[in-house]
Amino acid sequence: MRTWTRRAAVALAASMAALLVPGESVAQPEPTAGVAALGPDFLWGVAASGFQSEGHAPGNDRPGTGALGSVSAHRVSVGNDAPDSNWVRYIERHPEFDRYQSAIDFYNRYAADIDLAKSLGVKVFRIGIEWARLQPTSRLEWDADGFRFYDAVIAKIVKAGMRPMLTLDHWVYPGWAYDGAFQGKHSDSPDTGWDNPEMVEAWLANMRKVVDRYAPRNPLWVTINEPVAYIMHEVRNNATNQGRMEDLVAEAHNKIYDYIHQVRPDAQVTSNIGYVAGIDDQVNGGLFAKIADHLDYIGVDYYFAFEPPASSPPATVRSIAAIGSPGMWNLPIRTEGIYYAVKRYAEEARKVGKPDLPIYVVENGMPTEDANSDDSNTPGTGNYNRSDHLRDTVYWLQRAKADGVNLIGYNYWSITDNYEWGSYRPRFGLYTVDVLGDPALQRRPTKAVATYTETIAAGGVSPDYRPTRPPSGCDVVDPTPGCVDVAAP
């Protein structure tokens, strides 16, 4: 979940305000005493992404610089040590963004970070496979070193006793695609990125190679991370056509889904939905309808509760995408909202004729402003500390499973702090990393490391656990027509 999603999506749907008026709110029956553990088969995990954590431009031996080979083999992006990509270009264009540097240097420190995850007791480690690393300079060739890097990372995850979750596209594509240099039958097209008619085929050619190489590892697959958020970033940063990109993203997902199952019929594939409380159907419903037949489990990312729309939202998608917002740590946090989110998608599964389709929380966590608020209650995070937030969230997941949701897994976002799309200021990590102030990039555990370890070992919170905050009504947390309040424990 990223800053645009809450405020921009709210504004996008404000014209549908009549739909947001909740129906009469009726409390559910009181839960039975205690909550059952999530069980031995539940998939506890941690998440990271490629661009946000890796650093290291191909062939670059100078810290703090990154090769931008699509323009010139000798051109460098000062302060951005990463493969040339749309996001390196966006950082270059925005002087107000933090320089990327080498992120948290996962490229060189992946083994130690995977060991940290192993020590938590998790079963799943989510990473991204960066297209920009595999094809850094041209659509016509792949970088062997890029594949060797991911070979090593995935082998380490498996050796550590975890299952890889592989994200094929986490909002980043190569710089040559940003330039429109597709070298195909539409080479004369002036369009770039997802507006170019060659984009889907170029995307699929790379992703098929990834699938061929890693399907034997039987990972969990995430095709495209939070596709609507991805679209809005491209609308804002590259003036991409929103409607066309939604169609193309759905096409890309559906085609690679079919290919993955051609290679491995028993594969488990999703595209994770960035949940937007109160207006999720308006924001994600159209895309979800286009891919619902091509999901083996529903991935849900949940972070924030409902935020009322501004009184005078801009009228166009492009101006909506450009709305500024304060730090995401100021957005409303209500852990009971995750109950509504997974219940909603369990109901969506029923509506599309797949009532047994599993639900997996692919991302959830709590942002803080810098590291100093990780372990103390702070007003900017709903007066939550990270450990209380984690335990309360898990409680509501246990409630959801007890109430019939086929919930199979949960990933904490994220194993470490990382680059949050223009800034190192928001901190999500179980292990905090001060990129701007600590050249050693030391991983320092928050108190939530022990909390998550204990929670995993117990299969959840104890039967007599009660959340630190009483639940609010659904008209506050996730107002939808006819919403039903979750009963207080």
Side-chain angles (χ1 to χ4, degrees), residues 109 433-434 437-443:
R109 303 168 193 242
V433 184
D434 184 5
D438 177 16
L441 299 176
Q442 180 182 359
R443 275 65 167 153

PDB file of all heavy atoms in Angstrom, residues 109 433-434 437-443:
ATOM      1  N   ARG A 109      23.441  -8.456   0.551  1.00  0.00           N
ATOM      2  CA  ARG A 109      23.166  -8.891   1.929  1.00  0.00           C
ATOM      3  C   ARG A 109      21.976  -9.840   2.011  1.00  0.00           C
ATOM      4  O   ARG A 109      21.451 -10.084   3.095  1.00  0.00           O
ATOM      5  CB  ARG A 109      22.907  -7.660   2.808  1.00  0.00           C
ATOM      6  CG  ARG A 109      24.052  -6.645   2.799  1.00  0.00           C
ATOM      7  CD  ARG A 109      23.641  -5.331   3.427  1.00  0.00           C
ATOM      8  NE  ARG A 109      24.591  -4.271   3.156  1.00  0.00           N
ATOM      9  CZ  ARG A 109      25.294  -3.615   4.070  1.00  0.00           C
ATOM     10  NH1 ARG A 109      25.139  -3.920   5.355  1.00  0.00           N
ATOM     11  NH2 ARG A 109      26.134  -2.668   3.729  1.00  0.00           N
ATOM     12  N   VAL A 433      16.432  -0.032   9.089  1.00  0.00           N
ATOM     13  CA  VAL A 433      17.690   0.267   8.402  1.00  0.00           C
ATOM     14  C   VAL A 433      17.692   1.757   8.085  1.00  0.00           C
ATOM     15  O   VAL A 433      16.801   2.255   7.388  1.00  0.00           O
ATOM     16  CB  VAL A 433      17.831  -0.534   7.089  1.00  0.00           C
ATOM     17  CG1 VAL A 433      19.192  -0.258   6.454  1.00  0.00           C
ATOM     18  CG2 VAL A 433      17.646  -2.031   7.328  1.00  0.00           C
ATOM     19  N   ASP A 434      18.684   2.475   8.565  1.00  0.00           N
ATOM     20  CA  ASP A 434      18.773   3.913   8.371  1.00  0.00           C
ATOM     21  C   ASP A 434      19.638   4.198   7.141  1.00  0.00           C
ATOM     22  O   ASP A 434      20.835   4.453   7.248  1.00  0.00           O
ATOM     23  CB  ASP A 434      19.361   4.570   9.621  1.00  0.00           C
ATOM     24  CG  ASP A 434      19.400   6.089   9.520  1.00  0.00           C
ATOM     25  OD1 ASP A 434      18.880   6.635   8.529  1.00  0.00           O
ATOM     26  OD2 ASP A 434      19.959   6.722  10.430  1.00  0.00           O
ATOM     27  N   GLY A 437      21.324   7.702   7.143  1.00  0.00           N
ATOM     28  CA  GLY A 437      22.211   8.081   8.236  1.00  0.00           C
ATOM     29  C   GLY A 437      23.241   7.051   8.640  1.00  0.00           C
ATOM     30  O   GLY A 437      24.133   7.357   9.433  1.00  0.00           O
ATOM     31  N   ASP A 438      23.159   5.843   8.113  1.00  0.00           N
ATOM     32  CA  ASP A 438      24.061   4.771   8.530  1.00  0.00           C
ATOM     33  C   ASP A 438      24.707   4.123   7.309  1.00  0.00           C
ATOM     34  O   ASP A 438      24.099   3.256   6.668  1.00  0.00           O
ATOM     35  CB  ASP A 438      23.293   3.723   9.329  1.00  0.00           C
ATOM     36  CG  ASP A 438      24.156   2.535   9.734  1.00  0.00           C
ATOM     37  OD1 ASP A 438      25.392   2.644   9.669  1.00  0.00           O
ATOM     38  OD2 ASP A 438      23.578   1.484  10.103  1.00  0.00           O
ATOM     39  N   PRO A 439      25.916   4.495   6.953  1.00  0.00           N
ATOM     40  CA  PRO A 439      26.575   3.901   5.785  1.00  0.00           C
ATOM     41  C   PRO A 439      26.731   2.386   5.883  1.00  0.00           C
ATOM     42  O   PRO A 439      26.817   1.699   4.863  1.00  0.00           O
ATOM     43  CB  PRO A 439      27.946   4.592   5.763  1.00  0.00           C
ATOM     44  CG  PRO A 439      27.764   5.846   6.543  1.00  0.00           C
ATOM     45  CD  PRO A 439      26.733   5.539   7.587  1.00  0.00           C
ATOM     46  N   ALA A 440      26.745   1.859   7.111  1.00  0.00           N
ATOM     47  CA  ALA A 440      26.889   0.413   7.286  1.00  0.00           C
ATOM     48  C   ALA A 440      25.586  -0.343   7.022  1.00  0.00           C
ATOM     49  O   ALA A 440      25.588  -1.576   6.910  1.00  0.00           O
ATOM     50  CB  ALA A 440      27.383   0.103   8.702  1.00  0.00           C
ATOM     51  N   LEU A 441      24.467   0.375   6.945  1.00  0.00           N
ATOM     52  CA  LEU A 441      23.157  -0.239   6.683  1.00  0.00           C
ATOM     53  C   LEU A 441      22.861  -1.383   7.654  1.00  0.00           C
ATOM     54  O   LEU A 441      22.350  -2.442   7.285  1.00  0.00           O
ATOM     55  CB  LEU A 441      23.063  -0.730   5.235  1.00  0.00           C
ATOM     56  CG  LEU A 441      23.220   0.351   4.156  1.00  0.00           C
ATOM     57  CD1 LEU A 441      23.198  -0.286   2.769  1.00  0.00           C
ATOM     58  CD2 LEU A 441      22.137   1.412   4.281  1.00  0.00           C
ATOM     59  N   GLN A 442      23.144  -1.149   8.913  1.00  0.00           N
ATOM     60  CA  GLN A 442      22.921  -2.162   9.938  1.00  0.00           C
ATOM     61  C   GLN A 442      21.436  -2.479  10.078  1.00  0.00           C
ATOM     62  O   GLN A 442      20.584  -1.590  10.055  1.00  0.00           O
ATOM     63  CB  GLN A 442      23.461  -1.666  11.277  1.00  0.00           C
ATOM     64  CG  GLN A 442      23.285  -2.645  12.426  1.00  0.00           C
ATOM     65  CD  GLN A 442      23.801  -2.076  13.744  1.00  0.00           C
ATOM     66  OE1 GLN A 442      24.307  -0.963  13.790  1.00  0.00           O
ATOM     67  NE2 GLN A 442      23.666  -2.849  14.811  1.00  0.00           N
ATOM     68  N   ARG A 443      21.106  -3.754  10.208  1.00  0.00           N
ATOM     69  CA  ARG A 443      19.750  -4.197  10.476  1.00  0.00           C
ATOM     70  C   ARG A 443      19.549  -4.222  11.992  1.00  0.00           C
ATOM     71  O   ARG A 443      20.190  -5.010  12.690  1.00  0.00           O
ATOM     72  CB  ARG A 443      19.514  -5.596   9.921  1.00  0.00           C
ATOM     73  CG  ARG A 443      19.127  -5.666   8.458  1.00  0.00           C
ATOM     74  CD  ARG A 443      20.175  -5.200   7.488  1.00  0.00           C
ATOM     75  NE  ARG A 443      19.804  -5.591   6.116  1.00  0.00           N
ATOM     76  CZ  ARG A 443      20.179  -4.961   5.025  1.00  0.00           C
ATOM     77  NH1 ARG A 443      20.952  -3.895   5.102  1.00  0.00           N
ATOM     78  NH2 ARG A 443      19.802  -5.400   3.837  1.00  0.00           N
TER      79      ARG A 443
END
